[in-house]
Amino acid sequence: MTEKIALTPATHTTPPAKFSHGVKKGNLLQVAGQVGFLPAVEGQAPTPAGPTLREQTLQTFANVKAILQEGGASWDDVMMMRVYLTDVDHFAEMNEIYNAYFEVEGLKEAASARTTVYVGLPKGLLIEIDALAVLS
């Protein structure tokens, strides 16, 4: 039986409830929904990267990537991403940011399968992303 391993990079705060930022079991790595919080500073509340969708999306990608790396994975291992937006009008802008980010990361082809839905998030947060990776 393969053990489940909780993943919390040093850049992340301890989750506010009984869950992990990521969990690895066998060759599966699930990244919990990440938002655009800046790296954790001990004794300070989490702070969004900025008020814009661009700032928050890029920080959210950095947060997802940190968990992937903590679990020994990379963007190449990601099979599925789910994007949660608070505003339907952000869809086109998010796609532009998404495509440019993965091009810079060296993934010219589709990075993974993806679903995008519209949700409510805590005040000031515009985007949340989770990911499922399968390691070789």
Side-chain angles (χ1 to χ4, degrees):
M1 187 98 182
T2 307
E3 176 185 5
K4 278 197 309 190
I5 301 167
L7 304 170
T8 301
T11 55
H12 288 55
T13 59
T14 300
K18 289 204 156 278
F19 66 88
S20 299
H21 287 291
V23 175
K24 183 177 175 183
K25 183 170 181 171
N27 69 336
L28 295 179
L29 191 163
Q30 177 65 57
V31 177
Q34 299 296 300
V35 296
F37 286 144
L38 293 168
V41 176
E42 193 169 333
Q44 291 184 10
T47 305
T52 70
L53 180 65
R54 178 173 193 73
E55 291 167 307
Q56 288 191 26
T57 301
L58 293 176
Q59 185 61 53
T60 300
F61 282 139
N63 294 343
V64 171
K65 186 176 181 178
I67 296 164
L68 291 170
Q69 290 175 331
E70 184 83 7
S74 72
W75 289 118
D76 287 326
D77 300 308
V78 174
M79 299 297 295
M80 179 66 181
M81 290 177 58
R82 283 167 291 275
V83 176
Y84 308 91
L85 293 172
T86 60
D87 187 337
V88 68
D89 292 335
H90 286 161
F91 186 74
E93 181 183 0
M94 185 277 300
N95 274 336
E96 289 175 19
I97 298 163
Y98 188 98
N99 290 340
Y101 176 84
F102 284 110
E103 192 167 306
V104 167
E105 287 289 310
L107 300 171
K108 304 276 188 223
E109 300 299 319
S112 66
R114 189 185 97 196
T115 298
T116 303
V117 297
Y118 305 98
V119 299
L121 291 173
K123 185 177 180 174
L125 295 175
L126 304 174
I127 187 168
E128 181 173 340
I129 298 174
D130 71 42
L132 174 66
V134 179
L135 293 89
S136 308

